[in-house]
Amino acid sequence: MDANTIRVVAAVVEREGRLLLCRRPAGKRHAGLWEFPGGKIHPGESVSEAARRELAEELAVEVLAVGDHLLALPDPGSAFVVEFYPVKIAGEPRALEHDALGWFTPGELAGLDLAPSDRAFVERSGYAPP
């Protein structure tokens, strides 16, 4: 990655066979599209620290664990590289910065309007049905 790359952590939160996704609010890049929750990794911050901070800010949940890196994908047309990690949380998520959130089965993901990197992750990760 070059110096202009902005790293973003995306939390793949699974509960009872469903994945947590959030819909981006109006006025934001990819407004109205669904994404895995997360956000920018600040300079000097670890992936775990970024996940804890972002999910507390966005969803009012506590991050219990961050697993091994799953996939990194560029966000087309930007300097963002979205890094997907499995994340375990405690608490019931609330949409503090998104206009909606939901728990979706892998089969339901194909029917959502996903942000480009999230769509690519779903297609490459095996979460999408064949």
Side-chain angles (χ1 to χ4, degrees), residues 32-35 109-115 119:
L33 300 181
W34 290 88
E35 67 177 358
L109 296 181
L112 293 178
D113 288 330
L114 296 170
R119 164 84 48 217

Side-chain angles (χ1 to χ4, degrees), residues 2 7 12 20 26 29 34 52 55 60-61 85 108 124:
D2 67 38
R7 295 174 64 208
V12 180
L20 177 63
R29 180 174 172 76
W34 290 88
R52 283 183 178 84
L55 271 60
V61 296
Y85 290 85
E108 292 170 326
R124 293 181 193 180

Side-chain angles (χ1 to χ4, degrees), residues 7 9 39-54 66 83 85:
R7 295 174 64 208
V9 60
K40 294 178 192 138
I41 301 170
H42 294 162
E45 191 174 44
S46 72
V47 169
S48 292
E49 290 166 339
R52 283 183 178 84
R53 178 182 49 74
E54 287 288 347
V66 177
E83 302 176 17
Y85 290 85

